[in-house]
Amino acid sequence: MNCTSVLHQIEIVVSTIIQICDTLTDEDLQKRPTPDKHSIGELLEHIAVICAADWRISQGATLAEMEDFYSSVSYPTLDSIKAGILDNFAALKHNYMNLTDEQLLTETTSYWGNTCTRYEWLLEIIAHLYHHRGQLHAMLVHCYNKDPKVMLFE
């Protein structure tokens, strides 16, 4: 089983998120279009940890382990967000490229009870990234009239 094509698509989504970040300023990170929902910065911080967090989930991390992980990371600036996105993607790619077919087909269960093969978790990761990239784009365009003019798909 080969993960190369899925990882390539994740690389595209990561690249477009970085391009969107390049249209922002650190001041934009404080913007919160909906009260009691994530600010742009909080959403980007979440995006920055997806590859690392979801890898841990695919390995069967417990809720306590995930809470510890989330509390240990912070990306307060655009530069740190972009570095986090790229570093966490590089680690994810390395981890997945070193899995055997048997490991890719092994089922693991998340702390909330969802069971998938590790390959299916990789598909979940790409869906997760696309979802939040769409949220970010919509926040910028519809709430702040700030179209990043980034081609979102090849």
Side-chain angles (χ1 to χ4, degrees), residues 7-27:
L7 289 164
H8 173 69
Q9 292 302 312
I10 293 174
E11 189 168 16
I12 291 168
V13 95
V14 161
S15 172
T16 57
I17 292 167
I18 298 294
Q19 290 173 50
I20 292 170
C21 287
D22 286 340
T23 70
L24 302 175
T25 66
D26 280 331
E27 291 76 35

Side-chain angles (χ1 to χ4, degrees), residues 38-77:
H38 286 319
S39 68
I40 290 171
E42 290 164 344
L43 176 58
L44 282 168
E45 215 172 0
H46 176 69
I47 289 170
V49 300
I50 287 173
C51 289
D54 288 8
W55 165 256
R56 284 170 172 75
I57 291 167
S58 78
Q59 299 304 303
T62 66
L63 175 59
E65 290 169 333
M66 291 310 299
E67 288 171 343
D68 287 345
F69 168 73
Y70 288 125
S71 68
S72 74
V73 293
S74 176
Y75 301 110
T77 65

Side-chain angles (χ1 to χ4, degrees), residues 106-125:
T106 299
E107 289 186 339
T108 61
T109 301
S110 67
Y111 63 85
W112 64 87
N114 188 33
T115 300
C116 292
T117 66
R118 285 196 180 96
Y119 185 77
E120 289 173 311
W121 283 117
L122 184 60
L123 299 178
E124 290 283 339
I125 292 168

